Amino acid sequence: VDFEVVKNGKSILIEEEPCYTPQRGHFYVRTQKIPLLVGDQKEVKYLLCICDDITEQKKTKQKTDEILNQLKEAQSIAKIGSWSFDLINHHQVCSTEQYKIIQIDETVPHDMLYQHYCDRVFPEDLNELDYLAKQAKDEGIGFIHNHRLRMPNGLTKYIRGIAYVTKDDTGKPVKISGTCQDITREVETEQQSDFMLKTLGLGIWKFYPGENKLNWDSNMYQMVGLCERQLPDARRALDTT
Protein backbone atom coordinates (compact mmCIF):
# COMPACT_ATOMS: atom_id res chain seq x y z
CA VAL A 1 0.00 0.00 0.00
CA ASP A 2 2.82 2.41 0.90
CA PHE A 3 4.48 1.77 -2.46
CA GLU A 4 1.22 2.49 -4.30
CA VAL A 5 0.81 5.81 -2.44
CA VAL A 6 4.37 6.85 -3.33
CA LYS A 7 3.95 5.73 -6.93
CA ASN A 8 0.59 7.47 -7.50
CA GLY A 9 1.31 10.49 -5.35
CA LYS A 10 -2.22 10.37 -3.89
CA SER A 11 -3.18 10.13 -0.24
CA ILE A 12 -5.40 7.33 1.04
CA LEU A 13 -7.40 6.66 4.19
CA ILE A 14 -7.42 3.17 5.68
CA GLU A 15 -10.49 3.08 7.93
CA GLU A 16 -9.43 0.04 9.94
CA GLU A 17 -5.97 -1.48 10.09
CA PRO A 18 -5.18 -4.39 12.45
CA CYS A 19 -1.90 -4.10 14.36
CA TYR A 20 0.01 -6.20 16.84
CA THR A 21 2.88 -5.68 19.29
CA PRO A 22 4.10 -8.07 21.98
CA GLN A 23 3.67 -5.32 24.58
CA ARG A 24 0.08 -4.47 23.76
CA GLY A 25 -1.24 -7.37 21.75
CA HIS A 26 -3.87 -6.81 19.04
CA PHE A 27 -5.26 -3.33 18.41
CA TYR A 28 -6.72 -1.29 15.54
CA VAL A 29 -5.82 2.06 13.99
CA ARG A 30 -7.29 4.36 11.36
CA THR A 31 -4.44 5.53 9.11
CA GLN A 32 -4.20 8.50 6.76
CA LYS A 33 -1.22 8.16 4.37
CA ILE A 34 -0.15 11.37 2.66
CA PRO A 35 2.71 11.65 0.14
CA LEU A 36 4.59 14.95 0.54
CA LEU A 37 5.47 16.21 -2.96
CA VAL A 38 8.32 18.62 -3.78
CA GLY A 39 9.73 20.23 -6.92
CA ASP A 40 8.28 20.71 -10.37
CA GLN A 41 8.32 16.98 -10.98
CA LYS A 42 6.20 16.43 -7.89
CA GLU A 43 8.71 14.01 -6.48
CA VAL A 44 7.67 12.31 -3.26
CA LYS A 45 10.03 13.53 -0.55
CA TYR A 46 8.53 11.34 2.14
CA LEU A 47 5.32 9.60 3.17
CA LEU A 48 3.41 11.10 6.10
CA CYS A 49 1.25 8.68 8.08
CA ILE A 50 -1.26 9.84 10.70
CA CYS A 51 -2.62 7.07 12.94
CA ASP A 52 -5.65 7.18 15.21
CA ASP A 53 -6.18 4.37 17.75
CA ILE A 54 -9.77 3.14 17.19
CA THR A 55 -9.58 -0.03 19.30
CA GLU A 56 -12.12 1.14 21.89
CA GLN A 57 -14.42 2.50 19.17
CA LYS A 58 -14.31 -0.87 17.43
CA LYS A 59 -15.11 -2.71 20.67
CA THR A 60 -18.03 -0.37 21.33
CA LYS A 61 -19.32 -0.86 17.80
CA GLN A 62 -19.05 -4.64 18.13
CA LYS A 63 -21.04 -4.57 21.37
CA THR A 64 -23.64 -2.28 19.80
CA ASP A 65 -23.93 -4.55 16.76
CA GLU A 66 -24.38 -7.58 19.03
CA ILE A 67 -27.15 -5.83 20.97
CA LEU A 68 -28.88 -4.74 17.76
CA ASN A 69 -28.68 -8.26 16.34
CA GLN A 70 -30.12 -9.69 19.55
CA LEU A 71 -32.91 -7.11 19.41
CA LYS A 72 -33.69 -7.97 15.79
CA GLU A 73 -33.79 -11.68 16.65
CA ALA A 74 -36.06 -11.07 19.65
CA GLN A 75 -38.41 -8.89 17.61
CA SER A 76 -38.54 -11.50 14.85
CA ILE A 77 -39.41 -14.29 17.29
CA ALA A 78 -42.07 -12.23 19.07
CA LYS A 79 -43.29 -10.65 15.81
CA ILE A 80 -42.89 -7.19 17.31
CA GLY A 81 -41.66 -4.21 15.34
CA SER A 82 -40.65 -0.87 16.83
CA TRP A 83 -40.82 2.69 15.57
CA SER A 84 -40.34 6.28 16.65
CA PHE A 85 -41.48 9.62 15.24
CA ASP A 86 -39.66 12.86 16.02
CA LEU A 87 -42.37 15.53 16.28
CA ILE A 88 -39.82 18.34 15.97
CA ASN A 89 -37.95 17.17 12.86
CA HIS A 90 -40.84 15.07 11.48
CA HIS A 91 -38.51 12.11 11.06
CA GLN A 92 -39.67 8.52 11.49
CA VAL A 93 -37.53 5.46 12.10
CA CYS A 94 -38.72 1.83 11.97
CA SER A 95 -37.06 -1.44 12.88
CA THR A 96 -36.52 -4.16 10.28
CA GLU A 97 -39.26 -6.30 11.83
CA GLN A 98 -41.72 -3.40 11.56
CA TYR A 99 -41.21 -3.32 7.80
CA LYS A 100 -41.62 -7.10 7.61
CA ILE A 101 -44.87 -7.08 9.58
CA ILE A 102 -46.56 -4.41 7.49
CA GLN A 103 -44.86 -5.58 4.27
CA ILE A 104 -43.58 -2.18 3.21
CA ASP A 105 -40.27 -1.75 1.41
CA GLU A 106 -37.52 -0.16 3.50
CA THR A 107 -36.81 2.28 0.65
CA VAL A 108 -40.15 4.06 1.23
CA PRO A 109 -39.41 7.70 2.26
CA HIS A 110 -39.78 8.30 6.00
CA ASP A 111 -42.40 11.00 5.54
CA MET A 112 -44.61 8.51 3.66
CA LEU A 113 -44.43 5.60 6.13
CA TYR A 114 -47.52 6.49 8.17
CA GLN A 115 -49.61 7.06 5.03
CA HIS A 116 -48.52 3.70 3.62
CA TYR A 117 -49.42 2.09 6.94
CA CYS A 118 -52.86 3.74 7.00
CA ASP A 119 -53.48 2.49 3.47
CA ARG A 120 -53.25 -1.04 4.91
CA VAL A 121 -55.63 -0.42 7.84
CA PHE A 122 -59.27 -1.47 7.52
CA PRO A 123 -61.42 1.67 6.98
CA GLU A 124 -63.63 0.83 9.97
CA ASP A 125 -60.52 0.71 12.22
CA LEU A 126 -58.75 3.73 10.75
CA ASN A 127 -60.89 6.50 12.26
CA GLU A 128 -60.13 5.48 15.83
CA LEU A 129 -56.45 4.93 15.07
CA ASP A 130 -56.19 8.39 13.48
CA TYR A 131 -57.94 9.94 16.48
CA LEU A 132 -55.56 8.26 18.95
CA ALA A 133 -52.50 9.24 16.90
CA LYS A 134 -53.65 12.88 16.78
CA GLN A 135 -54.36 12.83 20.52
CA ALA A 136 -50.86 11.49 21.20
CA LYS A 137 -49.33 14.23 19.04
CA ASP A 138 -51.40 17.13 20.38
CA GLU A 139 -52.02 16.14 23.99
CA GLY A 140 -49.22 13.72 24.75
CA ILE A 141 -51.50 10.79 25.56
CA GLY A 142 -50.21 7.29 24.76
CA PHE A 143 -52.48 4.48 23.65
CA ILE A 144 -53.02 0.78 22.97
CA HIS A 145 -55.04 -0.08 19.88
CA ASN A 146 -55.90 -3.32 18.11
CA HIS A 147 -56.66 -3.05 14.41
CA ARG A 148 -56.58 -4.99 11.18
CA LEU A 149 -54.38 -4.66 8.12
CA ARG A 150 -55.35 -5.78 4.63
CA MET A 151 -52.19 -7.17 3.08
CA PRO A 152 -51.26 -7.11 -0.65
CA ASN A 153 -51.97 -10.86 -0.93
CA GLY A 154 -55.54 -10.31 0.30
CA LEU A 155 -54.98 -11.81 3.77
CA THR A 156 -55.81 -10.01 7.01
CA LYS A 157 -53.32 -9.33 9.79
CA TYR A 158 -54.35 -8.41 13.32
CA ILE A 159 -52.08 -5.82 14.92
CA ARG A 160 -51.69 -4.58 18.49
CA GLY A 161 -50.19 -1.11 18.42
CA ILE A 162 -48.77 0.57 21.52
CA ALA A 163 -47.59 4.19 21.57
CA TYR A 164 -45.63 6.12 24.21
CA VAL A 165 -45.09 9.88 24.24
CA THR A 166 -41.90 11.68 25.28
CA LYS A 167 -42.28 15.29 26.46
CA ASP A 168 -39.83 18.13 27.01
CA ASP A 169 -39.38 20.09 30.25
CA THR A 170 -42.45 22.20 29.45
CA GLY A 171 -44.68 19.17 28.94
CA LYS A 172 -44.77 19.55 25.17
CA PRO A 173 -44.78 16.24 23.22
CA VAL A 174 -41.53 15.92 21.25
CA LYS A 175 -41.45 12.25 20.25
CA ILE A 176 -43.81 9.32 19.89
CA SER A 177 -42.36 5.82 20.15
CA GLY A 178 -44.14 2.53 19.93
CA THR A 179 -44.39 -1.11 19.03
CA CYS A 180 -46.39 -3.01 16.46
CA GLN A 181 -47.11 -6.67 17.23
CA ASP A 182 -48.56 -9.18 14.82
CA ILE A 183 -51.21 -10.99 16.91
CA THR A 184 -52.90 -12.74 13.98
CA ARG A 185 -52.27 -16.26 15.26
CA GLU A 186 -53.45 -15.31 18.75
CA VAL A 187 -56.67 -13.76 17.42
CA GLU A 188 -57.42 -16.63 15.04
CA THR A 189 -56.87 -19.19 17.83
CA GLU A 190 -59.15 -17.18 20.10
CA GLN A 191 -61.83 -16.98 17.41
CA GLN A 192 -61.72 -20.74 16.86
CA SER A 193 -61.99 -21.36 20.61
CA ASP A 194 -64.92 -18.94 20.90
CA PHE A 195 -66.71 -20.67 18.03
CA MET A 196 -66.30 -24.09 19.64
CA LEU A 197 -67.54 -22.84 23.02
CA LYS A 198 -70.53 -21.10 21.46
CA THR A 199 -71.38 -24.25 19.55
CA LEU A 200 -71.51 -26.07 22.88
CA GLY A 201 -73.79 -23.36 24.30
CA LEU A 202 -71.21 -22.13 26.79
CA GLY A 203 -71.03 -18.50 27.87
CA ILE A 204 -67.87 -16.51 27.34
CA TRP A 205 -66.71 -13.32 29.04
CA LYS A 206 -63.46 -11.44 28.79
CA PHE A 207 -61.87 -8.80 31.00
CA TYR A 208 -59.26 -6.42 29.55
CA PRO A 209 -57.17 -5.01 32.45
CA GLY A 210 -55.46 -2.38 30.30
CA GLU A 211 -58.83 -0.92 29.27
CA ASN A 212 -60.67 -1.90 32.46
CA LYS A 213 -63.39 -3.32 30.23
CA LEU A 214 -65.61 -6.39 30.65
CA ASN A 215 -67.22 -8.07 27.63
CA TRP A 216 -69.91 -10.76 27.58
CA ASP A 217 -70.96 -12.80 24.59
CA SER A 218 -74.61 -13.42 23.71
CA ASN A 219 -74.64 -16.79 25.49
CA MET A 220 -73.67 -15.12 28.77
CA TYR A 221 -76.62 -12.72 28.52
CA GLN A 222 -78.97 -15.59 27.72
CA MET A 223 -77.58 -17.61 30.60
CA VAL A 224 -78.48 -14.93 33.17
CA GLY A 225 -81.75 -14.03 31.46
CA LEU A 226 -80.80 -10.53 30.26
CA CYS A 227 -80.99 -8.86 26.85
CA GLU A 228 -77.76 -7.48 25.43
CA ARG A 229 -79.57 -4.72 23.51
CA GLN A 230 -81.28 -3.48 26.65
CA LEU A 231 -78.19 -3.66 28.88
CA PRO A 232 -75.01 -3.75 26.74
CA ASP A 233 -72.74 -2.78 29.66
CA ALA A 234 -71.53 -6.14 30.99
CA ARG A 235 -70.52 -4.61 34.34
CA ARG A 236 -74.04 -3.35 34.95
CA ALA A 237 -75.44 -6.65 33.80
CA LEU A 238 -73.22 -8.37 36.34
CA ASP A 239 -74.54 -6.09 39.12
CA THR A 240 -78.14 -7.07 38.34
CA THR A 241 -77.52 -10.82 38.58
Side-chain angles (χ1 to χ4, degrees):
V1 175
D2 294 346
F3 177 77
E4 289 295 325
V5 174
V6 172
K7 180 181 177 181
N8 297 328
K10 296 180 180 179
S11 63
I12 64 169
L13 174 65
I14 302 176
E15 290 288 350
E16 183 182 301
E17 192 171 20
C19 302
Y20 174 82
T21 64
Q23 295 79 8
R24 183 176 177 185
H26 294 282
F27 60 99
Y28 296 86
V29 298
R30 180 186 293 112
T31 307
Q32 178 84 45
K33 298 189 176 185
I34 307 170
L36 196 64
L37 308 177
V38 296
D40 296 337
Q41 301 299 320
K42 301 297 182 183
E43 179 184 353
V44 177
K45 184 176 182 180
Y46 62 85
L47 181 63
L48 173 66
C49 294
I50 303 173
C51 298
D52 180 19
D53 188 340
I54 60 168
T55 306
E56 291 304 316
Q57 296 178 30
K58 183 175 174 62
K59 289 180 180 178
T60 300
K61 184 178 182 303
Q62 288 175 337
K63 289 181 180 178
T64 301
D65 289 343
E66 288 176 5
I67 292 172
L68 289 175
N69 288 333
Q70 290 172 0
L71 177 61
K72 286 181 180 179
E73 184 178 358
Q75 288 191 345
S76 178
I77 293 172
K79 293 187 176 182
I80 297 178
S82 58
W83 56 270
S84 67
F85 182 71
D86 188 322
L87 296 173
I88 306 301
N89 300 316
H90 303 286
H91 182 71
Q92 183 168 356
V93 178
C94 296
S95 69
T96 299
E97 189 63 22
Q98 174 85 359
Y99 285 102
K100 288 181 180 180
I101 290 173
I102 60 182
Q103 295 179 20
I104 293 178
D105 194 277
E106 293 190 39
T107 59
V108 171
H110 292 159
D111 59 348
M112 295 296 294
L113 284 173
Y114 184 68
Q115 184 57 53
H116 275 66
Y117 187 81
C118 289
D119 290 342
R120 296 264 198 273
V121 180
F122 274 55
E124 50 268 45
D125 298 341
L126 184 57
N127 286 340
E128 184 177 6
L129 180 60
D130 263 342
Y131 171 78
L132 292 173
K134 187 176 186 303
Q135 189 178 48
K137 177 182 177 182
D138 296 341
E139 303 177 34
I141 301 175
F143 63 85
I144 300 175
H145 186 258
N146 293 347
H147 49 275
R148 296 163 294 171
L149 302 182
R150 181 174 286 110
M151 310 313 296
N153 59 6
L155 297 179
T156 297
K157 278 189 178 181
Y158 293 85
I159 301 296
R160 175 173 294 127
I162 302 177
Y164 311 87
V165 181
T166 302
K167 303 177 183 178
D168 63 15
D169 294 338
T170 66
K172 177 183 177 182
V174 293
K175 185 173 74 171
I176 305 176
S177 306
T179 59
C180 171
Q181 183 177 15
D182 182 354
I183 58 171
T184 305
R185 182 174 297 180
E186 174 187 332
V187 171
E188 290 178 344
T189 300
E190 185 177 5
Q191 289 174 342
Q192 293 172 1
S193 299
D194 288 355
F195 176 77
M196 292 177 62
L197 292 172
K198 287 180 180 179
T199 302
L200 296 172
L202 302 175
I204 302 171
W205 63 269
K206 301 172 186 175
F207 177 65
Y208 301 87
E211 304 172 41
N212 194 27
K213 184 171 67 175
L214 177 67
N215 284 349
W216 281 8
D217 74 342
S218 56
N219 283 354
M220 278 297 300
Y221 280 95
Q222 292 177 12
M223 190 177 298
V224 298
L226 295 172
C227 177
E228 182 177 0
R229 284 177 295 181
Q230 294 175 343
L231 198 61
D233 188 335
R235 284 187 178 276
R236 292 177 57 200
L238 187 61
D239 291 340
T240 63
T241 58

